[in-house]
Structure formats: C-alpha cells, structure tokens
Amino acid sequence: MSNRKIPYKIHLSEEETPKAWFNVRADMKTGHRPMLHPATLRPVAAEDLNPVFCRELVRQELNDQDRFIEIPPEVWDFYKMYRPSPLVRAYCLEEALGTPARIYYKYEGGNTSGSHKLNSAIAQAYYAKKQGLIGVTTETGAGQWGTALSMACGYFGLECRVYMVKISEQQKPYRKGVMETYGAKVTPSPSDTTNIGRKILAENPETGGSLGCAISEAVEAAVTTEGFRYVLGSVLNQVLLHQSIIGLEARAALEKYGEYPDVVIGCAGGGSNLGGLMAPYMADRLAGKKAPRFIAVEPASCPSLTRGRFAYDFCDTGMVTPLAKMYTLGAGFMPAPNHAGGLRYHGMSPIISQLYHDGHIDEARAVGQVRVFEAAAMFARIEGILPAPESGHAIRVALDEALKCKETGEKKTILFGLSGTGSYDLAAYMQYNEGSLEDHIPTDEDLEKGFAGLPKVD
Amino acid sequence: MSNRKIPYKIHLSEEETPKAWFNVRADMKTGHRPMLHPATLRPVAAEDLNPVFCRELVRQELNDQDRFIEIPPEVWDFYKMYRPSPLVRAYCLEEALGTPARIYYKYEGGNTSGSHKLNSAIAQAYYAKKQGLIGVTTETGAGQWGTALSMACGYFGLECRVYMVKISEQQKPYRKGVMETYGAKVTPSPSDTTNIGRKILAENPETGGSLGCAISEAVEAAVTTEGFRYVLGSVLNQVLLHQSIIGLEARAALEKYGEYPDVVIGCAGGGSNLGGLMAPYMADRLAGKKAPRFIAVEPASCPSLTRGRFAYDFCDTGMVTPLAKMYTLGAGFMPAPNHAGGLRYHGMSPIISQLYHDGHIDEARAVGQVRVFEAAAMFARIEGILPAPESGHAIRVALDEALKCKETGEKKTILFGLSGTGSYDLAAYMQYNEGSLEDHIPTDEDLEKGFAGLPKVD
C-alpha cells in the first residue's frame, strides 16, 4: 500500500464546496461579439429573448459584469446529492505510462444522467420553476442532455417535452425509457405536433430527422405553448456559467494539496465542458498571472476550431436561432457519422471562440476517433472507468502530453475533464473492438460547401 | 440552503477507510453446516476445492476463525479508485415522505460495472494473479458479475473467460461489449467448447441456455484448462467476506456523526450484498449487544427465505457443485421471468441462511415487482439515482419502514443498501412506465415441484 501524500480522490467537504458560479465573461477584456437577431441583424436584447428563454436565464446570458453569481440554495441541495464530483489522481495511469507527469481528472459521469449536463439542467429547471412556468421544451440527439433535463424537471415537478431526433429515438430506446421514467414526454422529431415538423414530414415522410429540425420544433413548441420556455444544454453563456462548478471544484481540490496545473485539457463540441473546467484558471490568464496551457480537443470529423471560420453563423441547422460570432463550419455542414455525438456540432461557444481567437486558449487539437478509442479503452482498463467517446478525446491528448513528459523528463501537472461515462456508447466500443472503426476527415471541398452557406454578416 | 449538521454524503478519508475485511463467521456460535462433496456426501476439504478455486480463496472459504483478514495492498489500490462508495443521507426522500425517520443508503452502483460485485471480483482476480494463474472462468446471466470480473481481470492482466447465458448474450449485446472492451472472452452458453455444452446442444440445439448450464461449462473449462480456476460472484463465504467492505465503510461513516441504525435493510438473492452490508452490525448482535433489526428483502417470485426449505441442496441447477445447507426452493425451481435478475436464485448464502434460521436476521420480506418499481421510480425522481431493480427491493421496504415511522412518530435511523444502478435495466422500467409489468407469485404446487427435487441428505 503506497503511502502517498496526495490521495487517489481529493474530497471537498460541503463547507469547501463552491457556493457561486464563476462568470468568466466579467474578466474578458475583449468580450465576445453580441448575438444578432436573425431578422433585423441587430444585437438581441432581453426582450427578444424573454419569449423563448426564462427571464433569469436571459439575464445570465447577457451578464458580462458580475464575476460570481450565487448558486440558489435549491440548486445546491440537488448538487449535494451528486457533487462534488470526484477529482482523481490517476496514479495507476501514471504508473502504466511510466511518466513523471502528475495526471488529474475531474469525473462528471457518475450521476444517473451520465455526464456533466446535469449541472446546467438542474439550474435551468430551477429558474423555470421559480418563474412559475409549467414546463420546458428541448431537443436531444444522443440523449445525454434530454436525460439530464428530465431528471431536473422530475425533481422540481416541471413538465419536460423532449424532441428527440427520430433516428436516435429508434436506435436508443433505452435513452427514451430513462427520460420517461423521470416523467418526460419524448416526441420523435420531425413530428406532427408543430408546423415546422409537419412541413418537413410533408416534404420527406421517411426522414430520420436531425438536430436542427428538433431544435426548431422545440423552440416552436415553447413559444406557442402557454407557460413553457425553451432550454438548451450547451453553447450558450449561461450554460458555461453553470458548468463553472466543474472547474471551481477542481481548483479547490487541487489547492488543498498545493497543486496547480501546467496543462488543462478538455474536449470541445459546443464548449460547455471545457468552458466549465477551465473557467477559474482562465481568470488567472486574463489577469496576466501565471496560468496553465489550455488545450481544446475536437474530433477530426468536425473540426470547428482547427479548420473552421471565425464568423457570424446560425446556432442551428434550421437557421431560426439568433446569429452568434463563433468558430463554425457553417450551419449546413454535415459531419460524418462519428461516435462522439456530443461533439458533432458545427459551431462553438462564443466565449470559447473569442478566447481561442485572442490566444488565451493556447491550442486546439483535432484527433481521429480510432486513436481516441485506443486511449479510451486503455484508460478503462487501467483506471477502472469506461469513458464516453467525447471524454476520450481529452484522454487521448492527456496521454500524449504525459508521454511527451516521459521523453523530456518534465514533471508537468496535467488536469483533464472526464465529462461522461461510456455506458451508453457500447455500440461504438464494439466497433472498435472488432477493428471496424474508421476515421472520417472532411476534405477541404467538404468544408468549402459548409462555408458557402455562411450568412454575409460581420 | 439548509445548515444541516450531517452532510448529504459522509466522506471517509483514506486513513478512515477499512483496511481489513470482516469475517462474520468467526463470531457465529452456531456455524453453518459444512458443504458436502456431491459424490461422497462428506464435508469438502481444501484438497477437494483447490482444483476448482484459487488456493487463498479456498482458505478464506473455510476460515471460521479469523475475525479480520487484511485487504491486500494491491486490492486496496484498486478500491481507492472507486471507494469509499457514497454513504448518503436521503434528506430529499425524508422530506418528500414527511417522515421523522432518518434514512441513509450506501450506494454501490457508481462504478463502471454498475454494482457491488466489483468488490469481490477484484479480490478474486488478485488471488488468482498471485497464485500465478493464467486466467479464470465464470458464468454470467444478466451480466453484472461478468462485467465486474472483466474489469478486475483487465486490471491485473489475467485472461477472463465468461460463459454467458445464450439468451442474455443475444438480448444484452452491450453487456458483452463492455466485457470485451475489458479484454474478456465471452462465450454464449451452451457452447461447443465443453463436454457438457456439447451434450446439451446435442439434446436441444435451440436452447437459450440457463445459468445452471453456464456454471457447469465454466467449472469444466476451469478444471480442464492448465493455469485456470473458476470464480463465483455470490453465495460463497469468501464473497460475503469481501463484500463486508460495504458495511465496514457504512459503519465508519455513520459513527463519525454518532449515528447507529435501528434498522438495516438489504435485498437478498445469493446474499452477497446484504451479507456485506450487515456484517459489522451483526457482530453486535452475535455479541449480545444492542443491534439493529435486520430485514432481508427478496422477490415474491423467488422467495427462498420466506417460503423455501432449510435443507442441503446443490448450488447450481446442473447439480455438479457441492451441496450447501441453505434456504432453498430446490435447484430445479425455475423462477418466473422477473426483472431483478440478480435475485433470481433458488438458494441463499449459507451464512445468511444460518443467521436467519437462528433468528439473528429478524425478518425476511418478499415483495412483488410492481411495488418495487413504484418505489424505485419514486426514488429516482427524488434522490436523482436510477436504482437497479434488485436494489429497488430494499428501497421498497425502506420506504415502508419510513412511512410506518410517519404514522407512529418514531425517529428511527434506517440504513439500506443501494447495490446497483438501473442504467442497464431500462427495458424493465419501460414495461413499468407502460403499465405492463406484472407480479409472478409461485403457487404452493410450483414450490412443491422444486422441493421434490431436493437431495435426500441431512
């Protein structure tokens, strides 16, 4: 039994647990450009957003002043049931790699929803309840966000209407099952419950649906149903705000043992997980202090940061949402079928995009899924946790950084985000086990097609 | 935010974590009757068991002297990655029920295998590795034990051959997928890799297999393959020993806040979870001190304690194993399809059986699955964890006890075991959600058929 000074899992007591979210926007000297109204192309104001989103969430969305926003007691009571999430020193992995690096990971997959999405879902459901709403609508593809929101609504006694991409609903009946167990109403999209759904069905009755279509249906259902609003699980500022709990807990835990990361690594699809993990350390960077090197990891099949354009674009494929200034492949870009469903998004959080554009996020790295699954399967055996394919992207780069340290002898401290469990992704692991997994790298021509659809706005 | 003296989750530091398993047999004045060799009907000795099981595990199986057995450092290193498991004060549930009772649960479902089975799997794999074996064989039905063992073997670099009931292998491809990701070789049973498998296939080529057949194949494969032994995930004394970590941690956590349970509740199929949870408190009972009331909860569809016979019987349906004195429905009893696969066992751990026979386990209660799923779904919404159907049995009785306290005004302290996650059981929840779940209660005639097959031994 090793007598190690730092335990395998660093624990935070309730007293040590963060009581407020951290709003990184307050520290950004160059704020990101405002969202634009899709019809007027003028910056959206609260009154534009209030019919769609809960009032308090709109305030948070537009808030670039307050550094800390108190976590409501009712949300904290829920957090306490599954948080603080484990901050793990990966001793077994370090030993297996023979690296002098110290590797830490923050594991968000231990709750029933299986990912970090619950951190924002419970906050959004709380504000909806507080506003006296009857319920919320949303869309879900793979099902992580829909599951998290169903749990949150079940807890607060809110109605939850989930538009689930039809092909996913057919392929993942159990995801639907868990949402229904938490009381959600799951509708395969496109459906005949909305105008946009009926229109799409009329044009193409056999379609399996798409996330863009599900978003459009969920928004329409929200604005046309009394007492309902629409909620979203990534990309938005409010979501990154709520997800800051990940980084705040990680930092509090590491500071108990005098640890400060040299490198912070997170996978990035819409940006909620990386944005949350890095937030409190980004504050150091923005204040000109010593700070970690930040690495965003994205799938080579959907490389918005590494190969996208920094431009105004729609947040959805259906092109009904406001325009955001972000790294994007174009709202019409169709990523190849890749197993990290949570990273298959054409754009990137405006906060992450601006920080990357300004050089505060040091590096974006695109990795192919075969090397991702190699790393994920290795991690599963050594550290006893089967990672979500999304999280596997962060693991891949953490391994590569640790192996670099082995070559150079550097004793770097590496922190990465393990955002979810792979328990719902076994079809992908089985393909990997059989050796039939392939990488899908878009050609420059593929990308040009996506860019061609970008709105002409600057 | 409530300022509660006792936190939602009571944490144990590495120093406070138990370093030895507790062997309840050492405290039992009436030991359970010895296992008998199926051919000679004489008590089995180490030399009978050594060809089948690892040497050190045989020692543990027969050890009724040592109260504490040190957890090997290598096992402790693995435990530290996922243990201590959460000991949760169910504040939200107490509030929802309006009960004066204080409810605690020990949650074992947060690890990748999804249940408490990993606690024994890692120990058994370690002893196999230490003995210099190449690998181990086992059977699995629903897949919890197979997954846990695959993880343990993956960690120690042992070969793992799992005979999986063919119908389960077809219905649960993802369970097979996770085992293979951890490097296990999964063979649908019956198979043509063993004599017994070939015999069964010849007689009935279309059979979907059974746990009894899979056990027989796994044992045959172990004894006929150089460097292999057979391992088992429940029923045996060694398994209850390893699972005592559950109860030891729970007790250490509760004692930090001066809490002592009035009632301890666990579901019981083979008995590994209840046996582990109650072990350190049972020591108080056996020493004549103040002790909790112990309640074993079993499915009404497979009621070994409440309606079975206390008799010598085979541990497997195939009737090749030694005979154990236990509460049993007869090795030939075929329980109706019930969703708590882990509780669908005809017998019961000899330790649990003897303690119940001697009145040290105060009560066994059989509950129908409809009321179990009602409780499980309610718990999921209120406490944010989707329980395994097996664990739902304990929840059902914990709720009933808490509601009794509401009537009487008693402020009892209730501790129950939440042995696993329901993430792999959504087909069952979906049936419950649709209202198509039914109870299957065996008639007295059904039970008589099972008893008729009991061997004539006493």
Side-chain angles (χ1 to χ4, degrees):
Chain A
M1 208 162 325
S2 44
N3 279 317
R4 281 151 169 160
K5 225 183 61 193
I6 301 175
Y8 273 65
K9 294 192 287 183
I10 303 179
H11 179 70
L12 294 178
S13 67
E14 286 185 9
E15 294 70 41
E16 294 167 324
T17 302
K19 307 292 186 296
W21 293 303
F22 176 65
N23 180 15
V24 73
R25 289 181 76 200
D27 287 7
M28 288 169 68
K29 287 178 197 86
T30 319
H32 65 73
R33 300 276 293 281
M35 279 200 281
L36 302 181
H37 193 289
T40 65
L41 296 183
R42 294 170 61 169
V44 293
E47 54 270 29
D48 299 318
L49 297 174
N50 282 336
V52 182
F53 296 106
C54 306
R55 275 194 305 273
E56 190 58 38
L57 292 168
V58 170
R59 265 183 224 120
Q60 292 181 356
E61 191 62 31
L62 301 176
N63 187 336
D64 58 3
Q65 297 299 317
D66 300 316
R67 297 190 75 215
F68 286 96
I69 292 174
E70 198 208 347
I71 301 172
E74 293 84 351
V75 173
W76 213 65
D77 272 350
F78 190 88
Y79 276 178
K80 280 191 284 188
M81 289 196 290
Y82 74 101
R83 307 201 68 79
S85 69
L87 190 279
V88 186
R89 173 74 185 268
Y91 281 118
C92 293
L93 185 61
E94 292 171 17
E95 210 173 290
L97 296 175
T99 177
R102 291 194 296 281
I103 309 175
Y104 292 93
Y105 59 90
K106 182 76 171 159
Y107 180 46
E108 294 290 321
N111 69 73
T112 286
S113 81
S115 83
H116 68 293
K117 297 279 180 185
L118 193 55
N119 302 329
S120 185
I122 192 67
Q124 296 195 44
Y126 166 73
Y127 290 118
K129 184 74 182 175
K130 196 180 162 204
Q131 190 173 326
L133 297 176
I134 298 165
V136 293
T137 70
T138 200
E139 74 289 332
T140 201
Q144 286 187 334
W145 168 247
T147 306
L149 190 67
S150 303
M151 289 177 68
C153 289
Y155 180 76
F156 282 123
L158 276 172
E159 284 187 37
C160 181
R161 298 191 188 165
V162 181
Y163 287 87
M164 187 170 189
V165 176
K166 192 183 275 175
I167 184 78
S168 294
E169 190 255 2
Q170 288 163 353
Q171 287 171 348
K172 303 196 169 191
Y174 294 162
R175 274 291 191 184
K176 184 181 174 208
V178 69
M179 289 186 259
E180 289 176 344
T181 299
Y182 280 97
K185 191 178 158 199
V186 181
T187 305
S189 168
S191 74
D192 61 4
T193 67
T194 64
N195 288 326
I196 183 84
R198 283 186 292 267
K199 181 162 173 279
I200 293 170
L201 281 176
E203 288 163 5
N204 186 356
E206 300 304 318
T207 177
S210 73
L211 206 53
C213 166
I215 293 179
S216 306
E217 287 206 85
V219 172
E220 181 184 325
V223 299
T224 58
T225 313
E226 184 70 26
F228 273 74
R229 292 293 184 281
Y230 169 71
V231 296
L232 184 64
S234 192
V235 184
L236 298 178
N237 300 337
Q238 59 189 267
V239 177
L240 268 72
L241 173 72
H242 306 148
Q243 295 297 356
S244 69
I245 189 75
I246 304 172
L248 292 165
E249 282 182 7
R251 183 166 186 155
L254 288 173
E255 282 180 352
K256 284 179 76 165
Y257 290 89
E259 286 282 60
Y260 190 91
D262 297 300
V263 191
V264 171
I265 302 166
C267 61
S272 69
N273 166 60
L274 173 65
L277 177 67
M278 76 180 183
Y281 291 109
M282 183 55 75
D284 290 348
R285 166 68 60 95
L286 295 171
K289 297 184 200 163
K290 179 196 169 214
R293 179 174 172 78
F294 298 101
I295 308 180
V297 191
E298 58 184 13
S301 57
C302 192
S304 56
L305 287 172
T306 50
R307 298 176 68 195
R309 298 252 173 97
F310 188 50
Y312 266 110
D313 195 10
F314 291 94
C315 297
D316 66 321
T317 321
M319 305 191 183
V320 298
T321 62
L323 300 164
K325 182 76 180 269
M326 58 183 177
Y327 279 88
T328 178
L329 300 165
F333 177 77
M334 274 294 166
N338 165 296
H339 286 297
L343 306 181
R344 212 157 49 209
Y345 181 64
H346 69 277
M348 180 60 66
S349 141
I351 293 176
I352 300 267
S353 293
Q354 190 68 44
L355 290 169
Y356 180 61
H357 186 70
D358 294 343
H360 297 309
I361 291 175
D362 301 271
E363 187 188 345
R365 207 178 289 179
V367 290
Q369 67 178 353
V370 174
R371 289 192 71 240
V372 163
F373 274 85
E374 269 171 26
M378 177 185 177
F379 183 87
R381 289 201 202 181
I382 295 170
E383 286 284 323
I385 294 176
L386 188 77
E390 292 83 353
S391 321
H393 287 69
I395 294 172
R396 175 71 266 168
V397 170
L399 290 186
D400 290 345
E401 293 294 302
L403 290 171
K404 255 189 242 167
C405 289
K406 187 178 179 177
E407 275 178 34
T408 62
E410 286 175 292
K411 294 180 181 175
K412 284 192 183 166
T413 301
I414 298 170
L415 169 65
F416 74 88
L418 188 61
S419 54
T421 171
S423 297
Y424 301 102
D425 301 282
L426 282 159
Y429 276 97
M430 288 168 81
Q431 274 197 20
Y432 170 72
N433 295 339
E434 287 162 8
S436 62
L437 206 62
E438 284 177 9
D439 284 321
H440 305 281
I441 319 283
T443 64
D444 289 340
E445 290 70 40
D446 295 333
L447 295 186
E448 283 306 326
K449 277 182 221 157
F451 297 145
L454 282 173
K456 310 289 175 240
V457 186
D458 199 54
Chain B
M1 206 161 323
S2 45
N3 278 316
R4 283 155 167 155
K5 227 184 60 193
I6 302 177
Y8 273 64
K9 294 191 288 182
I10 303 179
H11 180 71
L12 294 178
S13 68
E14 286 186 8
E15 294 70 42
E16 293 168 324
T17 303
K19 306 294 185 298
W21 294 303
F22 175 65
N23 181 14
V24 73
R25 289 182 76 200
D27 287 7
M28 289 169 68
K29 286 179 197 87
T30 319
H32 67 71
R33 302 275 293 279
M35 279 199 282
L36 302 182
H37 193 289
T40 64
L41 297 184
R42 294 171 61 169
V44 292
E47 54 271 27
D48 298 317
L49 297 174
N50 282 335
V52 182
F53 297 105
C54 306
R55 273 194 307 272
E56 190 58 39
L57 292 167
V58 169
R59 266 183 223 118
Q60 292 181 356
E61 191 61 31
L62 301 176
N63 186 336
D64 57 5
Q65 297 299 318
D66 300 315
R67 296 192 77 215
F68 287 96
I69 293 174
E70 198 208 348
I71 300 172
E74 293 84 352
V75 173
W76 214 64
D77 272 350
F78 189 88
Y79 275 178
K80 280 191 283 188
M81 289 196 290
Y82 75 101
R83 306 203 68 82
S85 68
L87 190 278
V88 186
R89 173 73 183 268
Y91 281 119
C92 293
L93 185 62
E94 292 170 19
E95 210 172 292
L97 296 176
T99 176
R102 293 195 295 281
I103 309 176
Y104 293 93
Y105 60 89
K106 182 76 171 159
Y107 180 45
E108 295 289 322
N111 69 72
T112 285
S113 80
S115 83
H116 67 293
K117 297 279 180 185
L118 193 55
N119 302 329
S120 185
I122 192 67
Q124 296 195 42
Y126 166 72
Y127 290 118
K129 184 75 181 175
K130 196 180 162 204
Q131 189 173 331
L133 298 176
I134 298 165
V136 293
T137 70
T138 200
E139 74 290 330
T140 201
Q144 288 187 332
W145 168 247
T147 306
L149 190 68
S150 302
M151 290 177 66
C153 289
Y155 180 77
F156 282 122
L158 276 173
E159 283 186 38
C160 181
R161 299 192 189 164
V162 181
Y163 287 88
M164 187 172 190
V165 176
K166 191 183 277 175
I167 185 77
S168 293
E169 191 255 1
Q170 289 163 353
Q171 288 171 346
K172 304 197 168 190
Y174 293 162
R175 274 292 191 182
K176 184 181 174 205
V178 68
M179 289 186 260
E180 288 174 346
T181 299
Y182 280 96
K185 191 177 159 203
V186 181
T187 305
S189 168
S191 73
D192 62 2
T193 67
T194 63
N195 288 326
I196 182 85
R198 283 186 291 268
K199 181 163 172 278
I200 292 169
L201 281 176
E203 288 163 5
N204 185 357
E206 300 305 317
T207 177
S210 72
L211 205 55
C213 166
I215 294 178
S216 306
E217 286 204 86
V219 171
E220 181 184 326
V223 298
T224 58
T225 313
E226 186 70 24
F228 274 74
R229 292 292 184 282
Y230 168 71
V231 296
L232 184 63
S234 191
V235 184
L236 297 178
N237 300 336
Q238 58 189 270
V239 178
L240 268 71
L241 173 72
H242 305 148
Q243 295 295 357
S244 69
I245 188 75
I246 304 172
L248 292 165
E249 283 183 5
R251 182 166 186 154
L254 288 173
E255 282 179 352
K256 284 178 77 166
Y257 290 87
E259 287 281 60
Y260 189 91
D262 298 300
V263 191
V264 171
I265 301 166
C267 62
S272 68
N273 165 61
L274 172 65
L277 177 67
M278 75 179 184
Y281 291 110
M282 184 55 76
D284 290 348
R285 166 70 60 96
L286 295 171
K289 297 186 204 163
K290 179 196 169 215
R293 177 173 174 78
F294 297 102
I295 309 180
V297 191
E298 58 183 12
S301 57
C302 193
S304 55
L305 287 172
T306 50
R307 297 175 69 194
R309 298 252 173 98
F310 188 49
Y312 265 111
D313 194 9
F314 292 96
C315 298
D316 67 321
T317 320
M319 305 191 183
V320 299
T321 62
L323 301 165
K325 181 76 180 271
M326 59 183 176
Y327 280 88
T328 179
L329 299 165
F333 176 76
M334 273 292 167
N338 165 295
H339 286 296
L343 305 182
R344 211 156 52 210
Y345 181 64
H346 69 278
M348 179 59 67
S349 137
I351 293 176
I352 301 267
S353 294
Q354 189 68 44
L355 289 170
Y356 180 60
H357 186 70
D358 294 343
H360 297 309
I361 292 175
D362 301 271
E363 187 188 345
R365 209 179 286 180
V367 290
Q369 67 177 354
V370 174
R371 289 192 71 239
V372 163
F373 274 85
E374 270 170 25
M378 177 184 176
F379 183 87
R381 290 202 201 179
I382 296 171
E383 286 284 322
I385 294 175
L386 188 77
E390 291 84 353
S391 320
H393 288 69
I395 294 174
R396 175 72 267 168
V397 170
L399 290 185
D400 290 344
E401 292 295 303
L403 290 170
K404 254 190 243 167
C405 288
K406 188 178 179 178
E407 275 179 34
T408 61
E410 287 175 291
K411 294 182 179 173
K412 283 190 183 169
T413 301
I414 299 171
L415 168 65
F416 74 86
L418 188 61
S419 53
T421 172
S423 298
Y424 300 101
D425 299 283
L426 283 159
Y429 276 97
M430 290 168 81
Q431 274 197 19
Y432 170 72
N433 295 338
E434 288 163 7
S436 62
L437 205 63
E438 284 177 9
D439 283 322
H440 305 280
I441 319 283
T443 63
D444 288 341
E445 289 71 40
D446 293 334
L447 296 186
E448 283 306 324
K449 277 183 220 158
F451 297 145
L454 284 173
K456 310 289 174 243
V457 185
D458 200 56

